[in-house]
Amino acid sequence: MTRVLIADDQALLRGSFRVLVDSAPGLEVVAEASDGVEAVALTRAERPDVVLMDVRMPEMDGIEATRRICAETDTRVLMLTTFDLDEYVYSALRAGASGFLLKDTRPPDLLAAIEVVASGDALLAPSVTRRLVAEFASLPSGPMTRLDGVTAREQEVLTLIAKGLSNDEIAARLHVGIATVKTHIGRLLHKLAARDRAQLVIAAYESGLVRPTST
């Protein structure tokens, strides 16, 4: 079973998400939190596989809660927001979130997203990637992420990941098999100490490998 914690300050939404998740085969809700402080404490206690995390909550917002959860546990965080152009997308992913969804996402898509994140992948749609690019374009230059030990082929794969391509699309672009792409991604995750695909996108831009104007 994939164990899920729901963190949202609105009781009605928490209840709706709980009914939806508990109705899905292979998923179960193990706890609910009404703010970020409670989300962190319950994650420490219950060790869920995935936290559905609201961005805006009292006491401690979802971004700070995500940062603490990802620093202290192996639990993965799927951020939820009401706003399509939420200004916190970059901050949430930088804090360690593995995905970002709107609260009005279709129920089957939300359930699928939980499974994707629980499996160790990241849910990073091209629209989110574009927002990350825009955010990087507005940020002042900072310390560069180093790509020590990353091969030329791995840099090609990293560039395509940063542009929002799926594994299938990367395989087609580079004329290699899916297994080869997954091997390259696994090595990138290890070499760059990244949790998942979302963190690889950030590393690609912070290293200067991909320019913010490359949309």
Side-chain angles (χ1 to χ4, degrees):
M1 295 289 286
T2 296
R3 305 171 73 250
V4 180
L5 186 151
I6 299 169
D8 196 295
D9 62 335
Q10 298 183 47
L12 182 59
L13 280 177
R14 287 200 312 273
S16 298
F17 285 137
R18 179 166 203 138
V19 170
L20 175 63
V21 173
D22 280 338
S23 69
L27 300 178
E28 66 172 345
V29 175
V30 296
E32 296 180 25
S34 60
D35 58 53
V37 172
E38 194 174 12
V40 173
L42 286 171
T43 299
R44 289 171 179 158
E46 299 291 341
R47 297 290 168 147
D49 300 298
V50 177
V51 175
L52 289 181
M53 181 79 75
D54 187 18
V55 171
R56 296 180 173 91
M57 291 187 293
E59 302 299 329
M60 178 190 295
D61 65 28
I63 294 171
E64 177 60 20
T66 295
R67 187 188 66 77
R68 297 191 186 190
I69 287 170
C70 291
E72 299 174 15
T73 74
D74 292 328
T75 295
R76 295 184 176 274
V77 178
L78 180 57
M79 304 297 297
L80 297 172
T81 180
T82 307
F83 306 97
D84 186 30
L85 295 175
D86 199 298
E87 64 269 29
Y88 298 126
V89 172
Y90 171 78
S91 298
L93 294 174
R94 197 69 185 85
S98 294
F100 208 94
L101 283 181
L102 296 178
K103 287 184 179 179
D104 63 359
T105 296
R106 294 172 57 252
D109 293 338
L110 175 59
L111 296 176
I114 293 172
E115 296 284 14
V116 167
V117 170
S119 72
D121 206 345
L123 192 78
L124 196 59
S127 60
V128 174
T129 302
R130 286 193 294 272
R131 273 177 267 168
L132 275 176
V133 172
E135 184 68 26
F136 274 109
S138 68
L139 291 174
S141 298
M144 301 289 283
T145 295
R146 297 176 64 86
L147 298 179
D148 295 341
V150 177
T151 67
R153 176 59 98 177
E154 288 165 355
Q155 288 187 29
E156 286 185 85
V157 173
L158 183 59
T159 298
L160 296 176
I161 289 172
K163 291 181 177 179
L165 273 67
S166 67
N167 287 358
D168 288 339
E169 291 168 334
I170 293 171
R173 181 74 64 88
L174 299 180
H175 306 291
V176 299
I178 289 292
T180 300
V181 173
K182 290 181 177 179
T183 297
H184 286 313
I185 292 174
R187 289 173 179 164
L188 284 166
L189 291 170
H190 175 71
K191 291 179 180 181
L192 299 177
R195 287 173 63 94
D196 51 36
R197 201 181 196 90
Q199 300 300 295
L200 290 180
V201 171
I202 290 171
Y205 285 102
E206 290 188 341
S207 68
L209 179 66
V210 179
R211 299 293 180 182
T213 54
S214 301
T215 57

